[in-house]
Amino acid sequence: MAAQQPGSDREFNVSGENIPRISGRFWVTAFIIFIVFVSFNRVVQLYTDWLWFQAVGYRQIFTTELSTKVLTFLVAAVVFVILFLANTAIARWQVKRNTLFFSDETLVAQKMVTYVVLAVALLLAWMVGSTASANWLTVLEYLKQVSFNIADPIFGMDVGFYIFTLPLMKFLQGWLVIVLFLSLFGAAGIYLLEQRDNLEEGRFVLLPYAQLHLSVIGALIFIAFAWGHWLDGFGLMYSNRGVVFGASYTDINVVLPVLRIMMGVAAVSALLLVINIFIRRNVFPLAAIFIWLVGGFLLRGVVPGAVQRFVVEPNELQREAPYIAHDIEFTNRAYNLTKVQETEFDSLKNLAAAELESNADTLNNIRLWDYRPLLQTFRQLQELRLYYTFNDVDLDRYTINGQYRQVAISARELEKAQLQSPTWVNQKLQFTHGYGVVMNPVNEVTSEGLPNLWIKDLPPKSSVDLTVNRPEIYYGESTTDYVFVKTNEREFDYPGEGDKSVYTQYDGLGGVPLNSYLNRLAFAFRLGDSNIILSSDITNASRIMFHREIQTRVRTIAPFLEYDDDPYIVLGDDGRLYWIQDAYTISNLYPYSARTAGQFNYIRNSVKAVIDPYNGTVTFYLFDPNDPLAQTYNRIFPGIFKPVSELPETLRSHIRYPEGLFKVQVNLYQTYHMRDPNVFYNKEDLWAIPQENFSGNTQPVEPYFVIARLPGETNEEFLLFQPLTPHNKDNLVAWFAARSDGEHYGELVSYRLPKRELVFGPLQLEARIDQDPEISAQFSLWDQGGSQVIRGNLLVLPLGDALLYVEPIYLQAESGRIPELKRVIIASGDQVIMANTLAEGLAKLLGTFQGQTVSSPETGGEQPSTAVTSPLADQTVRQLAESASAHYEAAQKALQLQDWATYGDELDKMKSALDQLLKVLNEQ
């Protein structure tokens, strides 16, 4: 075979044919084309994301995240490439000095190895850099961190060290170990190539210069291991070894010293490898690895386990008491439970007329409409068309004609799956938005047993002093698709009379402008929708709306926050609709704090986002300026959070305590209200969520919003309320509430009920209801008639020094899907009453506490009382109670008709009847 001429671009194959040789430039070009092809989708996504962030006004977040990712990627990748190529270059230089394999006579082999090493280095650099860039937020949190000014009880380090500094240090330590190992493997690979002949013969000899080089890298790896052992000491703050979360007796007295010893073992191992640089004996590297592995197994595995079993467990409370105290203190701090205002009731009293009179606003807002049957009713009565739906019911409060009222409100959104003609034009251009809301007071019922709708129908009609001026909902809870607005196609607004429809044209600022062919092309590629380019209805004035679902939208803008599961709709005084989304700052790195579901152990509701359903604008308001996490994010993204003082007054009165956070706090408070380590260890006062019957099933009582007056307060307020029972018991032991109004927003209160009295819990009261012969007979009669009895949420309400239990009873026909409110069960003390209305039930309940005859609402019969009273007094009490009930019903009818003069007059007459009733009862 003829030899290749120097500088020739052709070579000969075995048949002697002259064929072109593929140059390195070709491979470089092919690699670049491959990278461009693979990266195309990523580039398109980045470009469209940039357009979207620019449209929503948060371009700073996009550029900060992107620039930090790129910079982190480059630093990690470049440092890796330098270390990797430096070590492989050293190895090649050593080999070239000692063998002929990489001599000048084997240029082809040299180039081949060069290309392979370079390709491997670039591939690994990409992987290492990508891993590093994923930690962009960790880097920024470290650089912009704010101190917590709380020191851990073991090392005295600020909590901010654990949340901001320790994660970055652990990442850097792990990254360093990986880089050194990859460099070790790269250098070792070069040395293995040198030994290819020996390997083929089954012999392997590690030459001195290779030992020297690999020993240096190995020493650096063990130094990195020593650093890791030092960091592991701080990781004991998250140990699960003891009876509570956090460092235990064994962790501090055994594991921590062991980690310090392991630091020394790793340092000795590194020293042995350094010595091997001069002695160059294979035994030293092997001894270093053996000592570290065996020492780790014995010291970190066997010894702590033995101490825990034979030293700690026989004297667990004595050994663990200080660490239990740390867990109690830091868990309460992390979940903001240190500020719970705890009050104890000395005793509970029977409900009296004076309590009803002083809590009139509470009684006028008792929630008779459970959100679950109410949602069914909304869907049956107000969806109006197949393509509309109600996702859920939100509870809020409004001032209506000067009165503080609790209401249920729900947004009417599109359900495009129900479109009878699901064409592209219909789904993307015409049916673009939902329309309006439905609202009703939670305590009013029509004569048909249905909710009294204050706002209803299309377009929205209001019977109170609330108006809906901008009912269109382009951004909602179920708007998961993308649509186009300001197109040549008219948008469907709402159904008109008969078979006609009302159309509209979007007049807002929402969406990303499609004002160039490049923008249309980019979105067509991203969404895989060629109609974006082909449709003549889309013009340069058109806009594309995507990320329209509320939680997706806020998560895309601020992924460093966590969000409550239930955004709620608000009707502002300006007639516009708004979504309010609660946001949390969380961490799973708060020392000594118990983790919730293994996910986080620190949480604050520091931020609330307000989203405009028409324009899609998102504004974040800072509600807890003292939260170090929120302060850190505000440093990273200056101006992202507006002060709460800038929140419009029309929305401030609708801020409510988030139910998701409340549930987390309640679940922890059941255990962590025990502040004494001895009581905590023995779980002497463990609480639980009570059970209740709902729709034939037994389930935990959900927290519920109520308007009520806390004991000792002068005004009613909007509360989130949760009753509590002892563990494995059904009687009430306490109730826990969160305040939402005014300056008291965010305050938590706990009222402990008398331990020496039996206070009925929800399930016990449900059992008493089932045991009542007249009530159970009525339920059976309804069931036999083919109707389903639905028992609503059993409410427990504080009225002064008494508790009032209220459970609405709904009836749903077997062939129907509309639950109707038919009865109200009221209980207090040992009395249970079922009545047609709340007012009737309260009047009867007052009569029973004074020993009066009680008329059954179902049979009209009377149940004789055991107390002895005069017939005249009996008649007077009954008449006054019936008079108060009649005036209450008349007031409610006047309210529905907006006859405010009659409404006020009837309320005055009801108050007069109650005053006379109280006077008569006090004289008996």
Side-chain angles (χ1 to χ4, degrees):
M1 177 169 46
Q4 181 179 340
Q5 298 298 320
S8 172
D9 288 332
R10 307 183 69 83
E11 61 183 15
F12 295 95
N13 63 9
V14 294
S15 63
E17 297 177 356
N18 193 346
I19 61 174
R21 178 174 62 86
I22 300 177
S23 66
R25 187 176 301 173
F26 170 83
W27 292 112
V28 171
T29 303
F31 178 76
I32 292 174
I33 294 174
F34 173 76
I35 291 298
V36 170
F37 177 78
V38 170
S39 303
F40 179 74
N41 287 336
R42 180 58 180 159
V43 171
V44 169
Q45 183 174 353
L46 281 175
Y47 177 66
T48 51
D49 280 346
W50 180 77
L51 292 175
W52 185 82
F53 273 93
Q54 187 177 37
V56 297
Y58 289 98
R59 185 174 58 183
Q60 177 200 13
I61 294 180
F62 176 83
T63 55
T64 300
E65 177 181 346
L66 181 61
S67 60
T68 307
K69 282 183 174 180
V70 171
L71 184 60
T72 305
F73 175 90
L74 291 176
V75 170
V78 169
V79 172
F80 168 77
V81 167
I82 291 173
L83 291 175
F84 184 83
L85 292 182
N87 280 284
T88 54
I90 291 172
R92 294 183 65 191
W93 176 71
Q94 292 278 18
V95 169
K96 287 172 66 176
R97 287 196 314 157
N98 293 275
T99 69
L100 295 177
F101 180 70
F102 291 110
S103 66
D104 293 337
E105 298 178 2
T106 55
L107 295 177
V108 174
Q110 287 190 51
K111 289 185 178 180
M112 181 182 68
V113 172
T114 299
Y115 290 145
V116 170
V117 170
L118 185 60
V120 170
L122 292 176
L123 178 61
L124 293 178
W126 181 272
M127 297 170 62
V128 170
S130 298
T131 302
S133 67
N135 291 272
W136 67 275
L137 187 58
T138 302
V139 174
L140 291 177
E141 287 176 342
Y142 169 76
L143 295 174
K144 302 291 185 178
Q145 63 178 286
V146 174
S147 173
F148 278 71
N149 294 318
I150 300 172
D152 81 84
I154 303 300
F155 302 106
M157 303 294 290
D158 187 83
V159 170
F161 167 80
Y162 293 93
I163 293 180
F164 301 123
T165 303
L166 187 60
L168 182 63
M169 296 178 73
K170 291 182 73 69
F171 162 71
L172 291 175
Q173 187 269 340
W175 176 86
L176 181 60
V177 169
I178 291 174
V179 168
L180 290 173
F181 264 113
L182 292 176
S183 299
L184 179 70
F185 295 151
I190 300 296
Y191 293 126
L192 286 176
L193 283 177
E194 177 194 21
Q195 296 289 324
R196 67 194 185 285
D197 294 333
N198 292 333
L199 290 174
E200 292 175 357
E201 298 173 3
R203 296 182 295 108
F204 176 74
V205 179
L206 190 61
L207 298 177
Y209 53 83
Q211 291 187 36
L212 184 150
H213 185 192
L214 298 181
S215 293
V216 172
I217 300 176
L220 293 175
I221 290 175
F222 275 106
I223 291 174
F225 283 160
W227 184 24
H229 294 316
W230 180 72
L231 295 177
D232 287 343
F234 298 108
L236 294 177
M237 294 296 102
Y238 318 115
S239 171
N240 288 307
R241 188 186 303 275
V243 294
V244 293
F245 186 84
S248 65
Y249 176 90
T250 301
D251 292 318
I252 298 304
N253 294 280
V254 179
V255 178
L256 185 58
V258 162
L259 289 173
R260 299 297 184 252
I261 294 172
M262 288 301 299
M263 285 177 58
V265 170
V268 170
S269 300
L271 181 61
L272 289 174
L273 290 171
V274 171
I275 293 173
N276 193 57
I277 294 174
F278 305 98
I279 300 178
R280 301 182 184 179
R281 300 285 300 274
N282 291 340
V283 67
F284 283 97
L286 295 176
I289 296 172
F290 177 79
I291 292 173
W292 184 74
L293 290 175
V294 173
F297 173 75
L298 292 176
L299 295 178
R300 299 193 65 173
V302 177
V303 175
V307 172
Q308 182 72 23
R309 173 64 184 88
F310 299 107
V311 177
V312 176
E313 289 185 7
N315 307 282
E316 194 166 50
L317 177 57
Q318 177 187 358
R319 305 282 190 187
E320 300 285 14
Y323 309 103
I324 294 175
H326 297 330
D327 176 71
I328 294 172
E329 176 188 355
F330 278 78
T331 298
N332 278 286
R333 284 180 182 271
Y335 291 95
N336 213 20
L337 295 174
T338 55
K339 299 179 182 178
V340 176
Q341 303 171 20
E342 298 179 344
T343 304
E344 292 194 13
F345 280 102
D346 294 329
S347 63
L348 291 178
K349 301 177 181 178
N350 286 334
L351 193 63
E355 298 294 351
L356 297 184
E357 183 178 354
S358 62
N359 290 275
D361 287 340
T362 299
L363 299 176
N364 201 36
N365 284 286
I366 290 179
R367 181 162 61 87
L368 301 180
W369 283 106
D370 189 301
Y371 73 91
R372 289 159 290 197
L374 183 60
L375 180 59
Q376 291 180 257
T377 303
F378 281 173
R379 287 173 173 171
Q380 291 301 308
L381 298 180
Q382 283 293 302
E383 285 184 348
L384 304 177
R385 293 292 188 272
L386 286 174
Y387 42 78
Y388 285 127
T389 187
F390 294 98
N391 289 295
D392 66 356
V393 175
D394 297 318
L395 297 173
D396 203 351
R397 70 283 197 201
Y398 289 77
T399 300
I400 306 296
N401 299 313
Q403 288 198 317
Y404 197 48
R405 303 296 300 275
Q406 185 177 2
V407 305
I409 183 172
S410 186
R412 185 186 291 106
E413 298 192 50
L414 278 179
E415 187 175 10
K416 293 186 180 180
Q418 298 298 324
L419 288 175
Q420 299 302 299
S421 179
T423 64
W424 185 85
V425 171
N426 276 347
Q427 293 189 73
K428 303 302 180 185
L429 306 182
Q430 283 199 341
F431 288 84
T432 56
H433 57 274
Y435 204 85
V437 294
V438 176
M439 179 189 290
N440 72 287
V442 296
N443 66 319
E444 293 186 16
V445 187
T446 67
S447 57
E448 294 84 13
L450 300 175
N452 177 32
L453 301 179
W454 280 352
I455 300 178
K456 61 181 179 179
D457 297 340
L458 293 169
K461 301 180 182 65
S462 175
S463 60
V464 293
D465 56 346
L466 292 173
T467 57
V468 185
N469 297 328
R470 180 59 77 184
E472 299 91 343
I473 300 175
Y474 286 87
Y475 302 85
E477 292 184 272
S478 62
T479 48
T480 56
D481 63 338
Y482 60 92
V483 297
F484 302 90
V485 295
K486 295 189 175 182
T487 67
N488 291 332
E489 189 71 40
R490 296 181 303 169
E491 296 176 51
F492 173 82
D493 209 21
Y494 59 89
E497 298 292 336
D499 59 352
K500 296 182 179 179
S501 296
V502 178
Y503 293 90
T504 189
Q505 194 76 17
Y506 182 71
D507 191 33
L509 301 174
V512 179
L514 298 176
N515 52 9
S516 70
Y517 188 78
L518 177 62
N519 288 4
R520 294 176 65 175
L521 186 64
F523 280 106
F525 275 107
R526 172 166 180 163
L527 301 173
D529 189 347
S530 59
N531 288 324
I532 299 175
I533 301 173
L534 301 176
S535 175
S536 59
D537 289 322
I538 297 178
T539 68
N540 286 340
S542 300
R543 292 171 173 261
I544 179 173
M545 293 181 173
F546 70 112
H547 293 325
R548 297 196 300 141
E549 193 267 329
I550 293 301
Q551 296 207 326
T552 300
R553 193 169 186 81
V554 292
R555 279 195 175 97
T556 304
I557 294 174
F560 43 86
L561 299 175
E562 289 294 324
Y563 297 93
D564 194 83
D565 291 335
D566 184 27
Y568 57 99
I569 194 80
V570 170
L571 175 58
D573 295 339
D574 56 359
R576 297 181 69 96
L577 297 174
Y578 300 90
W579 292 103
I580 297 181
Q581 170 70 66
D582 285 287
Y584 307 118
T585 54
I586 68 168
S587 174
N588 63 348
L589 297 173
Y590 201 95
Y592 265 121
S593 175
R595 284 178 176 161
T596 298
Q599 296 178 349
F600 59 87
N601 64 357
Y602 172 89
I603 185 170
R604 290 290 187 274
N605 176 218
S606 299
V607 179
K608 293 181 185 290
V610 176
I611 302 97
D612 186 327
Y614 188 73
N615 288 318
T617 54
V618 180
T619 308
F620 295 94
Y621 293 96
L622 184 61
F623 270 71
D624 186 357
N626 298 318
D627 174 25
L629 269 173
Q631 292 176 5
T632 299
Y633 294 140
N634 216 10
R635 284 185 174 186
I636 296 172
F637 310 104
I640 182 177
F641 302 137
K642 293 184 179 296
V644 69
S645 59
E646 295 187 16
L647 179 66
E649 188 61 37
T650 185
L651 296 177
R652 194 175 305 179
S653 60
H654 296 285
I655 295 300
R656 69 184 197 186
Y657 200 83
E659 192 172 349
L661 173 60
F662 186 75
K663 288 180 179 179
V664 169
Q665 291 174 316
V666 167
N667 287 335
L668 285 161
Y669 192 71
Q670 296 169 41
T671 303
Y672 283 89
H673 72 274
M674 297 180 285
R675 307 296 167 82
D676 181 85
N678 189 33
V679 175
F680 186 97
Y681 176 81
N682 292 302
K683 300 295 186 287
E684 296 176 18
D685 195 21
L686 186 63
W687 295 349
I689 303 294
Q691 301 286 309
E692 68 170 346
N693 292 330
F694 176 79
S695 191
N697 300 314
T698 300
Q699 62 185 37
V701 174
E702 297 180 357
Y704 46 86
F705 287 101
V706 295
I707 288 180
R709 181 162 55 87
L710 291 173
E713 297 292 336
T714 57
N715 297 314
E716 275 75 11
E717 56 186 290
F718 195 61
L719 302 170
L720 183 54
F721 195 91
Q722 177 70 69
L724 296 165
T725 63
H727 184 62
N728 289 330
K729 298 290 184 180
D730 292 327
N731 59 289
L732 277 188
V733 67
W735 53 267
F736 192 77
R739 308 174 75 174
S740 294
D741 287 349
E743 63 182 7
H744 297 296
Y745 173 81
E747 293 180 6
L748 300 174
V749 295
S750 171
Y751 288 82
R752 303 190 184 203
L753 302 176
K755 292 185 177 180
R756 298 183 181 181
E757 298 180 22
L758 173 61
V759 182
F760 291 113
L763 203 59
Q764 290 176 321
L765 195 62
E766 299 277 17
R768 295 190 61 213
I769 293 172
D770 291 335
Q771 293 166 6
D772 186 286
E774 294 187 4
I775 296 177
S776 60
Q778 183 63 58
F779 285 174
S780 298
L781 182 62
W782 280 330
D783 287 335
Q784 292 171 5
S787 297
Q788 179 188 1
V789 177
I790 302 174
R791 294 161 70 160
N793 188 202
L794 178 60
L795 305 180
V796 184
L797 300 171
L799 293 180
D801 292 332
L803 290 179
L804 178 67
Y805 302 80
V806 179
E807 182 176 68
I809 303 298
Y810 310 94
L811 201 62
Q812 183 171 315
E814 186 175 7
S815 58
R817 299 170 64 183
I818 304 178
E820 298 176 0
L821 180 61
K822 290 299 182 183
R823 296 289 188 272
V824 180
I825 295 177
I826 303 172
S828 185
D830 58 354
Q831 298 297 324
V832 178
I833 299 294
M834 184 165 77
N836 291 299
T837 65
L838 178 65
E840 177 185 330
L842 290 172
K844 292 179 181 298
L845 191 64
L846 284 180
T848 62
F849 285 134
Q850 295 299 326
Q852 311 305 323
T853 56
V854 182
S855 297
S856 168
E858 284 74 36
T859 63
E862 293 185 345
Q863 300 175 346
S865 170
T866 57
V868 178
T869 58
S870 67
L872 181 59
D874 289 350
Q875 183 179 7
T876 301
V877 169
R878 183 166 58 254
Q879 289 175 346
L880 290 173
E882 291 174 350
S883 175
S885 177
H887 288 305
Y888 176 81
E889 293 298 327
Q892 294 302 309
K893 291 180 180 178
L895 181 62
Q896 296 177 19
L897 298 173
Q898 300 188 56
D899 185 352
W900 307 116
T902 303
Y903 178 71
D905 184 55
E906 292 295 337
L907 285 182
D908 291 340
K909 291 178 181 179
M910 181 184 73
K911 182 178 183 300
S912 176
L914 290 174
D915 289 342
Q916 295 178 52
L917 176 62
L918 178 61
K919 181 178 179 181
V920 171
L921 293 175
N922 289 335
E923 291 174 351
Q924 294 183 17

Coordinates of all heavy atoms in Angstrom, one line a residue, residues 593-624:
S593 N -36.8 21.9 63.4 CA -38.3 22.1 63.2 C -38.8 20.8 62.4 O -38.3 20.4 61.4 CB -38.5 23.3 62.3 OG -39.9 23.4 62.0
A594 N -39.9 20.3 62.9 CA -40.5 19.1 62.3 C -41.0 19.4 60.9 O -41.6 20.5 60.6 CB -41.7 18.6 63.2
R595 N -40.8 18.5 60.0 CA -41.2 18.6 58.7 C -42.6 18.2 58.5 O -43.1 17.2 59.0 CB -40.3 17.9 57.7 CG -38.9 18.6 57.5 CD -38.0 17.8 56.7 NE -36.7 18.6 56.5 CZ -35.6 18.0 56.1 NH1 -35.5 16.7 55.8 NH2 -34.5 18.8 55.9
T596 N -43.4 18.9 57.6 CA -44.7 18.6 57.3 C -44.8 17.7 56.1 O -44.3 18.2 55.0 CB -45.5 19.9 57.1 OG1 -45.6 20.7 58.2 CG2 -47.0 19.5 56.6
A597 N -45.3 16.5 56.2 CA -45.3 15.6 55.1 C -44.0 15.4 54.4 O -43.9 15.1 53.2 CB -46.4 16.0 54.1
G598 N -42.9 15.6 55.2 CA -41.6 15.4 54.7 C -41.1 16.4 53.7 O -40.1 16.3 53.0
Q599 N -41.9 17.5 53.5 CA -41.6 18.5 52.5 C -41.0 19.8 53.0 O -40.0 20.3 52.4 CB -42.9 18.8 51.7 CG -43.5 17.6 51.0 CD -44.8 17.9 50.3 OE1 -45.4 19.0 50.6 NE2 -45.3 17.0 49.5
F600 N -41.5 20.4 54.0 CA -41.0 21.7 54.5 C -41.1 21.8 56.0 O -41.9 21.0 56.6 CB -41.7 22.9 53.8 CG -43.2 22.9 54.0 CD1 -43.7 23.5 55.2 CD2 -44.1 22.3 53.1 CE1 -45.1 23.5 55.4 CE2 -45.4 22.3 53.3 CZ -46.0 22.9 54.5
N601 N -40.3 22.6 56.6 CA -40.4 22.8 58.0 C -40.3 24.3 58.4 O -40.0 24.6 59.6 CB -39.3 22.0 58.7 CG -37.9 22.4 58.4 OD1 -37.7 23.3 57.6 ND2 -37.0 21.8 59.0
Y602 N -40.6 25.2 57.4 CA -40.7 26.6 57.7 C -41.7 27.1 56.7 O -41.6 26.8 55.5 CB -39.4 27.3 57.6 CG -39.5 28.8 57.7 CD1 -39.4 29.5 58.9 CD2 -39.6 29.6 56.5 CE1 -39.5 30.9 59.0 CE2 -39.7 31.0 56.6 CZ -39.6 31.6 57.8 OH -39.7 33.0 57.9
I603 N -42.6 28.0 57.2 CA -43.6 28.5 56.2 C -44.1 29.9 56.7 O -44.3 30.0 57.9 CB -44.8 27.6 56.0 CG1 -45.7 28.1 54.9 CG2 -45.5 27.2 57.3 CD1 -46.8 27.1 54.5
R604 N -44.3 30.8 55.8 CA -44.9 32.1 56.1 C -45.8 32.5 54.9 O -45.4 32.3 53.8 CB -43.8 33.2 56.3 CG -43.0 33.1 57.6 CD -43.8 33.4 58.8 NE -43.0 33.4 60.0 CZ -42.6 32.3 60.7 NH1 -43.0 31.1 60.3 NH2 -41.9 32.4 61.8
N605 N -46.9 33.0 55.3 CA -47.8 33.6 54.2 C -47.4 35.0 54.0 O -48.2 36.0 54.3 CB -49.3 33.5 54.6 CG -50.2 34.1 53.6 OD1 -51.2 34.7 54.0 ND2 -49.9 34.0 52.3
S606 N -46.2 35.2 53.5 CA -45.6 36.6 53.4 C -46.2 37.4 52.2 O -46.0 38.6 52.1 CB -44.1 36.5 53.3 OG -43.6 35.9 54.5
V607 N -46.7 36.7 51.2 CA -47.0 37.3 49.9 C -48.5 36.9 49.5 O -48.9 35.8 49.7 CB -46.0 36.9 48.8 CG1 -46.4 37.6 47.5 CG2 -44.6 37.3 49.2
K608 N -49.2 37.9 48.9 CA -50.4 37.6 48.3 C -50.4 38.2 46.9 O -50.0 39.3 46.7 CB -51.6 38.2 49.1 CG -51.8 37.5 50.4 CD -53.0 38.1 51.2 CE -53.1 37.5 52.6 NZ -53.5 36.1 52.6
A609 N -50.9 37.4 45.9 CA -50.9 37.9 44.5 C -52.3 38.2 44.1 O -53.2 37.5 44.4 CB -50.3 36.8 43.6
V610 N -52.4 39.3 43.4 CA -53.7 39.8 42.9 C -53.7 39.7 41.4 O -52.8 40.3 40.8 CB -54.1 41.2 43.4 CG1 -55.4 41.7 42.7 CG2 -54.2 41.3 44.9
I611 N -54.6 39.0 40.8 CA -54.6 38.7 39.4 C -55.9 39.3 38.8 O -57.0 39.0 39.3 CB -54.5 37.2 39.0 CG1 -53.3 36.6 39.6 CG2 -54.5 37.0 37.5 CD1 -53.5 35.9 41.0
D612 N -55.8 40.1 37.7 CA -56.9 40.6 37.0 C -57.4 39.6 36.0 O -56.7 39.2 35.1 CB -56.5 41.9 36.3 CG -57.6 42.7 35.7 OD1 -58.6 42.0 35.2 OD2 -57.6 43.9 35.6
P613 N -58.7 39.1 36.1 CA -59.2 38.1 35.2 C -59.3 38.6 33.8 O -59.5 37.8 32.9 CB -60.6 37.7 35.8 CG -60.5 38.2 37.2 CD -59.6 39.4 37.2
Y614 N -59.4 39.9 33.6 CA -59.5 40.5 32.3 C -58.2 40.7 31.6 O -58.0 40.3 30.4 CB -60.4 41.8 32.3 CG -60.8 42.3 31.0 CD1 -61.8 41.7 30.2 CD2 -60.2 43.5 30.4 CE1 -62.2 42.2 29.0 CE2 -60.6 44.0 29.2 CZ -61.6 43.3 28.5 OH -61.9 43.8 27.3
N615 N -57.3 41.4 32.2 CA -56.0 41.7 31.6 C -54.9 40.7 32.0 O -53.9 40.8 31.3 CB -55.6 43.1 32.1 CG -56.4 44.2 31.4 OD1 -56.7 44.2 30.3 ND2 -56.8 45.2 32.2
G616 N -55.1 39.9 33.0 CA -54.1 39.0 33.4 C -52.9 39.6 34.2 O -51.9 38.9 34.4
T617 N -53.0 40.9 34.5 CA -51.9 41.5 35.3 C -51.8 40.8 36.7 O -52.8 40.5 37.3 CB -52.2 43.0 35.5 OG1 -53.5 43.2 36.0 CG2 -52.1 43.7 34.1
V618 N -50.6 40.6 37.1 CA -50.3 40.0 38.4 C -49.5 41.0 39.2 O -48.5 41.5 38.8 CB -49.5 38.7 38.2 CG1 -49.2 38.0 39.6 CG2 -50.2 37.7 37.3
T619 N -50.0 41.2 40.5 CA -49.3 42.1 41.4 C -49.0 41.3 42.7 O -50.0 40.8 43.3 CB -50.1 43.4 41.7 OG1 -50.4 44.0 40.4 CG2 -49.2 44.4 42.5
F620 N -47.8 41.3 43.2 CA -47.5 40.6 44.4 C -47.3 41.7 45.5 O -46.6 42.7 45.4 CB -46.1 39.9 44.3 CG -46.2 38.8 43.3 CD1 -45.8 39.0 42.0 CD2 -46.6 37.5 43.7 CE1 -45.8 37.9 41.1 CE2 -46.6 36.5 42.8 CZ -46.2 36.7 41.5
Y621 N -48.0 41.4 46.6 CA -48.0 42.3 47.8 C -47.3 41.6 49.0 O -47.6 40.5 49.3 CB -49.4 42.8 48.2 CG -50.1 43.7 47.1 CD1 -50.9 43.1 46.2 CD2 -49.8 45.0 47.1 CE1 -51.5 43.9 45.2 CE2 -50.4 45.8 46.1 CZ -51.3 45.3 45.2 OH -51.8 46.0 44.2
L622 N -46.4 42.4 49.6 CA -45.7 41.8 50.8 C -46.5 42.1 52.0 O -46.6 43.2 52.5 CB -44.3 42.5 50.8 CG -43.4 41.9 51.9 CD1 -43.1 40.5 51.7 CD2 -42.1 42.7 51.9
F623 N -46.9 41.0 52.7 CA -47.7 41.1 53.9 C -46.9 40.8 55.1 O -47.3 41.2 56.2 CB -48.9 40.1 53.8 CG -50.1 40.7 53.2 CD1 -50.2 40.9 51.9 CD2 -51.2 40.9 54.0 CE1 -51.3 41.4 51.3 CE2 -52.4 41.5 53.4 CZ -52.4 41.7 52.1
D624 N -45.7 40.3 55.0 CA -44.9 40.0 56.2 C -43.5 40.5 55.8 O -42.6 39.8 55.4 CB -44.8 38.5 56.5 CG -44.1 38.3 57.8 OD1 -43.5 39.2 58.4 OD2 -44.0 37.1 58.3

